[in-house]
C-alpha cells in the first residue's frame, strides 16, 4: 500500500471473509500441540490413536453446539462443497423410483446447481424457485413446487454474495409436512447467527470450517437421526460408515475451536459487525450518491455489503482497491477463463452490465473500525481515478 507521504507499507486490509476467513488465534492455539507432535490416526488402537479420537470427538461436540444438533448428527467432510454434494447424491442414490425432481432456490451456491444437475441428466429434473429483486425466495412459492414427486429440496440460509437470509424455517416445516427431505446450505450463516434447533425443520445442514476462521480442509454435514444416506466416499468405516477415509485431524480440531470461538463471541461480534456495516453503507451513500446497494431491503447477515457504482466495472475497482491494499470481491466469477457476471445478481433482475459492476465487502473477526475508515477514504478516490482515466 502507498501512503499519502509516498512511503510503501505492506499493511493490508482483508474485507473478503465470505470467501475465506483468516485463521482465528483460538484455532492456532488449539492446533499448536497437534502440529508439533506426531498425532495418531483416530482409527488406531494405540495411545496416539486414542488421543486423536478424543480430540476429534471433542471437535464434534463443538461443531454440533454451533449447529444446534446432537453430536451424533455430525459427519465430518472435507468442506462445505463435499457436505452439499454428499447430501444431494446420498439422497438421490437411494431415492425410490417415481420421484422426479429436486427443488432449489435460484440464488444457491454453484456447488448446489453442479451437484443437482449432475443427477438431472440421469433421473431427475432440477426446478429453480425465483427470488425477488432483493434476493428473497418466497416460502409459499418454494413450497408450491414441493410435491409428491420431489426427491429433495435445497435452500441456502444466507447468500455468500449479498448476505440475504432465506426463510429456511418456513420452507423446512412445509417440506417436513410434505415428507420431502430438506437440505439447508448453512455455510455462510454458521458462526454469524444462532442456528437454534435447526433439526426441527432441516434434515441436513452443510457447514464449512474455513468460512468461520478454521482451516480449509474440513466441513460437516449434519444428518438428522434416523435418516440413511448413501455415502459419497465408500470403503472405510469412519464416521459411522457415513464418510470413508482418514479424517483431516488438524483441520477438524481447528474447525471445533473456530466453532467454539464463534459461539462465545456471537452476540457482541454480530453487533460490532452490524455497526461497521452501517457505517460503510451510510458513508458510501453520502460520498457516492449514485451508489446502488443490492439486497439492502432484505434481512441480511450483519457482515456483508454488496454494491455497485454506476458506470464503474467491479473488476477495475477491485483491482484498484487491491493495489491500494484492500481485498474485496467482485460480482463476477472466473469460469473457464471468461469472467461471468454473478448468477445471484442476475436472478435479482440486475442486467449483465449492472452485475459486472458489483463489489462485495464481507467483514469478519479480524476487521476494525480503523480499517473500515481507511477503506471509506480510499474507495471514493479509486472511483474518481477510474472515472478520470476514462476521460
Ligand atoms: C453459500 C456457500 N455454500 C457452499 C460453499 C462451499 O463451501 P467450501 O468452500 O467449504 O467448499 C460456499 C463457499 O463459498 C458458500 O459460500
Amino acid at each position: 500500500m502507498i501512503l499519502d507521504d509516498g512511503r510503501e507499507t505492506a499493511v493490508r486490509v482483508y474485507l473478503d471473509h465470505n470467501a475465506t476467513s483468516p485463521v482465528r488465534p483460538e484455532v492456532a492455539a488449539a492446533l499448536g500441540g497437534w502440529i508439533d507432535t506426531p498425532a495418531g490416526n483416530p482409527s488406531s488402537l494405540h495411545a496416539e490413536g486414542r488421543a486423536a479420537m478424543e480430540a476429534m470427538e471433542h471437535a464434534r461436540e463443538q461443531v454440533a453446539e454451533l449447529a444446534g444438533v446432537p453430536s451424533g448428527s455430525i459427519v465430518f467432510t472435507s468442506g462445505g462443497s463435499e457436505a452439499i454434494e454428499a447430501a444431494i447424491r446420498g439422497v438421490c442414490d437411494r431415492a425410490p423410483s417415481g420421484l422426479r425432481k429436486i427443488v432449489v432456490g435460484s440464488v444457491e451456491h454453484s456447488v448446489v446447481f453442479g451437484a443437482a444437475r449432475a443427477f438431472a441428466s440421469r433421473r431427475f429434473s432440477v426446478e429453480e424457485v425465483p427470488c425477488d429483486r432483493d434476493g428473497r425466495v418466497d416460502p409459499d412459492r418454494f413450497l408450491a413446487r414441493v410435491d409428491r414427486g420431489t426427491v429433495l429440496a435445497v435452500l441456502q440460509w444466507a447468500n455468500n454474495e449479498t448476505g440475504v437470509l432465506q426463510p429456511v424455517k418456513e420452507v423446512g416445516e412445509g417440506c417436513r409436512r410434505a415428507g420431502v427431505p430438506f437440505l439447508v446450505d448453512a455455510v455462510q450463516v454458521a458462526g454469524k447467527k444462532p442456528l437454534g434447533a435447526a433439526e426441527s425443520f432441516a434434515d441436513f445442514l452443510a457447514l464449512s470450517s474455513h468460512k468461520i476462521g478454521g482451516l480449509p480442509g474440513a466441513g460437516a454435514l449434519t444428518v438428522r437421526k434416523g435418516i440413511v444416506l448413501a455415502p459419497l466416499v465408500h470403503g472405510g468405516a469412519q464416521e459411522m460408515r457415513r464418510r470413508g477415509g482418514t479424517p483431516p485431524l488438524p483441520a477438524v480440531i481447528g474447525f471445533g475451536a473456530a466453532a467454539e470461538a464463534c459461539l462465545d463471541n456471537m452476540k457482541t461480534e454480530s453487533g460490532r459487525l452490524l455497526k461497521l456495516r452501517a457505517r460503510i453503507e451510510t458513508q458510501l451513500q453520502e460520498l457516492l450518491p449514485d451508489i446502488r446497494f443490492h439486497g439492502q431491503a432484505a434481512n441480511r447477515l450483519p457482515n456483508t455489503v454488496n454494491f455497485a457504482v454506476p458506470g464503474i466495472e467491479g473488476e477495475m475497482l477491485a483491482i484498484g482497491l487491491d493495489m491500494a491494499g484492500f481485498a474485496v470481491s467482485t460480482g463476477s466469477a472466473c469460469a473457464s477463463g471468461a469472467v461471468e457476471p454473478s448468477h445471484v445478481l442476475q436472478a435479482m433482475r440486475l442486467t449483465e452490465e449492472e452485475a459486472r459492476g458489483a463489489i462485495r465487502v464481507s467483514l469478519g473477526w479480524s476487521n476494525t473500525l480503523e480499517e473500515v475508515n481507511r477503506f471509506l477514504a480510499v474507495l471514493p478516490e479509486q472511483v474518481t481515478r477510474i472515472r478520470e482515466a476514462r476521460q
Side-chain angles (χ1 to χ4, degrees):
M1 180 163 84
I2 313 287
L3 296 177
D4 287 347
D5 62 6
R7 281 178 305 132
E8 258 191 66
T9 163
V11 176
R12 289 186 55 87
V13 175
Y14 185 79
L15 301 171
D16 204 12
H17 280 254
N18 288 7
T20 196
S21 190
V23 174
R24 289 172 177 271
E26 296 90 338
V27 172
L31 280 172
W34 291 95
I35 302 281
D36 297 343
T37 43
N41 184 323
S43 302
S44 300
L45 285 178
H46 45 61
E48 288 81 356
R50 291 196 305 277
M53 177 59 91
E54 200 176 305
M56 194 167 80
E57 291 314 306
H58 179 56
R60 198 182 305 279
E61 300 278 346
Q62 291 168 310
V63 172
E65 204 160 332
L66 181 74
V69 301
S71 60
S73 297
I74 299 283
V75 180
F76 284 122
T77 63
S78 64
S81 298
E82 187 194 313
I84 289 167
E85 178 113 12
I88 293 178
R89 280 183 182 246
V91 169
C92 291
D93 271 354
R94 290 180 57 89
S97 59
L99 297 183
R100 296 178 309 274
K101 64 178 176 182
I102 305 168
V103 180
V104 303
S106 57
V107 287
E108 299 308 306
H109 191 271
S110 54
V111 62
V112 171
F113 293 120
R117 285 177 190 146
F119 288 95
S121 57
R122 284 171 33 194
R123 279 176 63 192
F124 306 103
S125 62
V126 181
E127 267 189 38
E128 285 178 35
V129 185
C131 62
D132 67 11
R133 287 179 183 275
D134 281 298
R136 291 172 290 213
V137 172
D138 176 65
D140 294 333
R141 216 168 163 188
F142 192 102
L143 288 171
R145 310 275 179 111
V146 173
D147 58 26
R148 281 200 201 158
T150 307
V151 62
L152 177 69
V154 188
L155 189 61
Q156 63 188 199
W157 202 320
N159 185 265
N160 43 307
E161 294 183 38
T162 59
V164 170
L165 297 164
Q166 300 297 356
V168 287
K169 189 164 185 290
E170 290 96 312
V171 168
E173 286 169 353
C175 288
R176 187 76 51 95
R177 282 193 298 276
V180 171
F182 182 45
L183 162 65
V184 175
D185 174 357
V187 165
Q188 288 293 345
V189 76
K192 296 176 186 141
K193 282 185 79 71
L195 304 190
E199 279 195 346
S200 67
F201 60 85
D203 298 297
F204 311 102
L205 295 172
L207 305 151
S208 174
S209 160
H210 74 102
K211 304 287 187 188
I212 65 167
L215 299 179
L221 177 68
T222 74
V223 181
R224 193 164 65 89
K225 196 172 175 200
I227 294 184
V228 183
L229 266 191
L232 184 62
V233 182
H234 296 79
Q238 292 92 347
E239 300 295 283
M240 310 277 279
R241 296 207 169 273
R242 293 179 298 189
R243 200 274 188 184
T246 304
L249 191 61
V252 165
I253 292 171
F255 190 14
E260 187 172 314
C262 284
L263 262 185
D264 286 350
N265 301 315
M266 194 172 292
K267 224 172 172 181
T268 46
E269 189 60 0
S270 84
R272 190 182 76 85
L273 294 179
L274 209 52
K275 275 193 200 146
L276 293 180
R277 189 188 74 183
R279 181 165 178 77
I280 292 176
E281 289 180 345
T282 45
Q283 291 280 303
L284 288 184
Q285 187 74 69
E286 254 174 50
L287 296 165
L288 302 161
D290 56 347
I291 195 167
R292 294 213 184 106
F293 293 101
H294 306 134
Q296 207 181 20
N299 258 338
R300 286 175 296 154
L301 291 175
N303 77 317
T304 309
V305 188
N306 192 304
F307 63 87
V309 183
I312 303 281
E313 243 195 61
E315 208 187 346
M316 292 283 287
L317 188 49
I319 291 170
L321 286 166
D322 185 33
M323 287 169 70
F326 298 83
V328 298
S329 273
T330 64
S332 308
C334 193
S336 328
V339 179
E340 295 289 337
S342 143
H343 72 279
V344 171
L345 298 175
Q346 290 188 85
M348 292 163 67
R349 323 280 195 279
L350 268 71
T351 63
E352 232 187 270
E353 200 193 328
E354 286 168 336
R356 284 188 199 281
I359 291 284
R360 175 188 70 189
V361 170
S362 50
L363 306 164
W365 68 268
S366 65
N367 296 126
T368 62
L369 176 60
E370 197 257 332
E371 288 182 333
V372 163
N373 287 341
R374 272 164 50 202
F375 174 70
L376 289 169
V378 166
L379 181 72
E381 286 171 17
Q382 290 297 324
V383 170
T384 308
R385 184 188 59 75
I386 294 170
R387 281 184 174 147
E388 283 176 359
R390 288 239 185 86
Q391 286 162 6

